Amino acid sequence: MKVIGIVGMPASGKGEVSRIARDLGIPVVVMGDAIRERVKEAGLPLTDTNCGAIAGKLRADLGMDAIARITIPAIEATGAPVVLVDGIRGDYEVTTFKEHFRDFTLIGIASSFETRYRRLAGRGRSDDSLTAEELRVRDERELGWGLGRALEEADCRITNEGTLEEFTAEVRALLCRLGGIA
């Protein structure tokens, strides 16, 4: 099984990479879904604060790679030859995926704070930050989980500052190459 991981700051374009992968027939496992499910189980509203608190608690209780370990069975359950994992937040998760999946490639998505904030404002997800300060707080929290170090470990990097069409073309070409898709 080939596993392709995606890492990037909030609103850098990870969701678009997932959409493109699905369009190519590559199953996608979203790590944040495990967090959102636990927030719902706790009877809490799906807010950035609650998602961050649950993710932090899981990491504190189970280790910094907790979300990766929770996600591995879902990845394996796809039974697919190529799977994309969206939402890696730290270097510990990268290490766990590399140890568990012999064929693991990490793609880093980079976008400026200004570009990401503009995208967040238009995205409308319930767990999205709405103010620049809230995004800065979210960035700091995720960087504290090792996101910056995970980005440094990326095998491939894509800068997402242009048009959606440009980004889509670059991601599509990379996924086809990595996934062996013609």
Side-chain angles (χ1 to χ4, degrees):
M1 172 179 277
K2 169 140 193 92
V3 177
I4 302 169
I6 302 295
V7 63
M9 299 297 288
S12 59
K14 298 180 303 291
E16 282 301 313
V17 175
S18 293
R19 181 191 57 77
I20 296 161
R22 285 185 189 100
D23 289 349
L24 290 169
I26 299 171
V28 176
V29 175
V30 180
M31 294 177 72
D33 287 349
I35 304 298
R36 286 184 278 279
E37 187 60 37
R38 281 161 177 78
V39 170
K40 288 179 194 171
E41 287 171 4
L44 300 169
L46 276 176
T47 64
D48 177 60
T49 301
N50 289 337
C51 288
I54 294 290
K57 180 162 178 33
L58 283 168
R59 287 178 174 95
D61 292 349
L62 304 174
M64 292 302 286
D65 67 340
I67 315 307
R69 287 186 287 112
I70 289 168
T71 307
I72 285 171
I75 296 166
E76 292 175 333
T78 68
V82 180
V83 178
L84 185 121
V85 179
D86 177 346
I88 292 171
R89 291 292 191 269
D91 52 331
Y92 289 93
E93 295 169 342
V94 172
T95 299
T96 295
F97 285 135
K98 283 182 176 179
E99 288 172 355
H100 194 84
F101 299 106
R102 200 172 33 90
D103 195 356
F104 178 82
T105 302
L106 184 62
I107 300 173
I109 309 296
S111 290
S112 69
F113 180 87
E114 294 76 19
T115 298
R116 295 183 302 110
Y117 179 65
R118 195 170 49 252
R119 287 183 189 135
L120 266 181
R123 197 160 75 171
R125 236 174 46 191
S126 64
D127 61 333
D128 280 337
S129 301
L130 300 177
T131 69
E133 183 55 31
E134 287 169 328
L135 179 57
R136 281 187 189 87
V137 167
R138 184 172 173 184
D139 283 356
E140 287 177 27
R141 179 182 68 219
E142 295 188 10
L143 287 167
W145 292 334
L147 195 148
R149 291 185 303 274
L151 269 168
E152 290 172 10
E153 291 185 37
D155 301 296
C156 314
R157 272 185 99 82
I158 297 177
T159 299
N160 184 11
E161 291 290 336
T163 67
L164 180 58
E165 293 76 21
E166 291 167 335
F167 183 65
T168 298
E170 189 172 355
V171 169
R172 185 178 176 83
L174 180 58
L175 290 177
C176 286
R177 184 170 56 80
L178 293 175
I181 300 167

